């Protein structure tokens, strides 16, 4: 189930021409809180908090901090990434997993740290556990990670009918195997009205496709392109299994 949660949260899109950055002044911070509802096999509620900042004293970067509380599994994940403002290329990523006691036996620690640093077109990954292999991989302009994905998606070209192909590495996936790139396709489908606890919004509907998974993301049509709703479906039946809904925005 954790794998599904992480897929839902980080349906990513790489950088395409958009107007988000034109409206992000130095010193601006956005805070968004999401409800994560698992529908099947049983209903559970968890929460995700995202803070995006362009520091007034360092306007050339954007920082993205994400805190995921999976309370029903005793897991908390805090991810912090730094991006260059001009092109949204990743500089560094630190992902801290606070695991339940049962994880100690498998991982040798209840606090797992995965770090990644980009040097040129290569991403170098290190960890504090021999159960999670470190490594390096090519990391070019059409590649991204997970925590900053909402920001990337909000800056893409939302023209109806557009398809965007890219790759991403999920640094929040702890499987005991080496980290790998996954190919993704985002397709801009239509404009729909979406109602959330914050109100009703005109939104771009985006089909997110990765191998073995399917979902829809909804971004407001204004210049903020806020991701207000994400839906995860079973690819075979199109049954809705999980939603991510914006609850609070500051």
């Amino acid at each position: 189930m954790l794998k599904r949660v992480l897929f839902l949260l980080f349906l990513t899109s790489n950088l395409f021409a958009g107007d988000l950055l034109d409206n992000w002044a130095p010193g601006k911070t956005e805070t968004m809180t999401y409800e994560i509802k698992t529908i099947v096999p049983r209903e559970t509620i968890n929460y995700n908090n995202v803070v995006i900042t362009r520091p007034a004293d360092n306007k050339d970067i954007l920082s993205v901090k994400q805190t995921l509380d999976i309370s029903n599994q005793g897991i908390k994940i805090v991810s912090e990434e730094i991006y260059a403002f001009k092109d949204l290329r990743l500089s560094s990523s630190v992902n801290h997993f606070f695991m339940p006691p049962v994880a100690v036996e498998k991982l040798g620690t209840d606090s797992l740290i995965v770090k990644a640093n980009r040097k040129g077109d290569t991403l170098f990954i290190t960890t504090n556990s021999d159960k999670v292999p470190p490594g390096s991989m090519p990391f070019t302009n059409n590649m991204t990670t997970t925590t900053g994905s909402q920001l990337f998606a909000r800056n893409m070209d939302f023209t109806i009918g557009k398809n965007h192909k890219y790759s991403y590495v999920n640094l929040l996936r702890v499987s005991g195997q080496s980290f790998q790139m996954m190919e993704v396709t985002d397709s801009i489908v239509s404009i729909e009205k979406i109602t959330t606890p914050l109100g009703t919004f005109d939104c771009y509907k985006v089909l997110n496709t990765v191998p073995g998974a399917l979902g829809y993301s909804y971004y407001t049509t204004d210049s903020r392109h806020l991701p207000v709703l994400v839906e995860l479906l079973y690819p075979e039946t199109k049954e809705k299994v999980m939603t991510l809904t914006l609850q609070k925005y500051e």
Side-chain angles (χ1 to χ4, degrees), residues 15 21 54 59-62 83-89 118 155:
L15 177 61
L21 296 185
R54 185 184 183 191
K59 63 182 181 180
D60 294 329
I61 70 168
L62 278 175
Y83 289 82
F85 182 79
K86 65 179 180 179
D87 57 9
L88 293 183
R89 291 208 70 191
R118 181 182 62 83
N155 202 52

Side-chain angles (χ1 to χ4, degrees), residues 2-11 168 210 213-215 232:
L2 177 58
K3 181 179 178 181
R4 289 181 189 160
V5 170
L6 295 181
F7 167 78
L8 175 70
L9 290 176
F10 308 116
L11 287 168
Y168 80 94
V210 301
L214 180 71
L232 177 63

Side-chain angles (χ1 to χ4, degrees), residues 38-59:
T38 301
I39 301 170
V40 293
R42 67 180 186 278
E43 184 171 308
T44 60
I45 302 294
N46 293 289
Y47 291 93
N48 183 45
N49 182 262
V50 182
V51 180
I52 304 171
T53 301
R54 185 184 183 191
D57 58 351
N58 191 354
K59 63 182 181 180

Side-chain angles (χ1 to χ4, degrees), residues 1 32 34 38 44 67 71 110 124 134 159 188 195 212 222 224 227:
M1 184 55 65
M32 294 168 285
Y34 292 88
T38 301
T44 60
T67 303
S71 56
D110 62 357
F124 296 91
T159 301
I188 317 303
T195 299
D222 61 23
R224 298 174 302 171

Side-chain angles (χ1 to χ4, degrees), residues 57-240:
D57 58 351
N58 191 354
K59 63 182 181 180
D60 294 329
I61 70 168
L62 278 175
S63 69
V64 182
K65 181 176 181 179
Q66 188 157 234
T67 303
L68 171 61
D69 282 305
I70 311 175
S71 56
N72 62 310
Q73 296 186 41
I75 299 172
K76 181 177 181 179
I77 305 173
V78 179
S79 177
E80 297 185 68
E81 294 191 345
I82 302 297
Y83 289 82
F85 182 79
K86 65 179 180 179
D87 57 9
L88 293 183
R89 291 208 70 191
L90 176 77
S91 296
S92 64
S93 175
V94 179
N95 307 281
H96 202 155
F97 299 75
F98 301 92
M99 310 296 285
V102 295
V104 177
E105 182 178 346
K106 293 183 177 180
L107 298 175
T109 179
D110 62 357
S111 181
L112 177 66
I113 301 175
V114 176
K115 296 182 178 181
N117 288 279
R118 181 182 62 83
K119 296 182 180 179
D121 287 338
T122 302
L123 190 69
F124 296 91
I125 301 172
T126 59
T127 72
N128 69 332
S129 171
D130 58 7
K131 301 296 191 298
V132 182
S136 61
M137 63 183 65
F139 200 78
T140 57
N141 283 334
N142 67 337
M143 297 177 180
T144 186
T145 64
T146 50
T147 300
S149 63
Q150 299 95 334
L151 182 63
F152 283 7
R154 292 168 63 184
N155 202 52
M156 69 180 172
D157 181 353
F158 283 100
T159 301
I160 305 301
K162 277 275 189 178
N163 294 315
H164 300 298
K165 296 181 182 293
Y166 53 94
S167 300
Y168 80 94
V169 57
N170 188 353
L171 298 175
L172 302 181
R173 176 186 59 82
V174 179
S175 66
Q177 300 178 350
S178 299
F179 292 98
Q180 302 291 330
M181 285 290 175
M182 294 187 67
E183 294 184 355
V184 190
T185 300
D186 279 359
S187 303
I188 317 303
V189 177
S190 61
I191 295 178
E192 296 189 6
K193 287 189 179 296
I194 298 296
T195 299
T196 75
L198 290 181
T200 299
F201 302 91
D202 289 325
C203 293
Y204 294 109
K205 181 179 182 179
V206 180
L207 172 64
N208 313 111
T209 307
V210 301
L214 180 71
Y216 289 102
S217 300
Y218 299 84
Y219 302 89
T220 60
T221 57
D222 61 23
S223 61
R224 298 174 302 171
H225 300 321
L226 289 176
V228 298
L229 175 66
V230 181
E231 301 170 327
L232 177 63
L233 313 177
Y234 278 125
E236 297 83 5
T237 65
K238 305 301 188 293
E239 177 187 10
K240 191 183 300 184

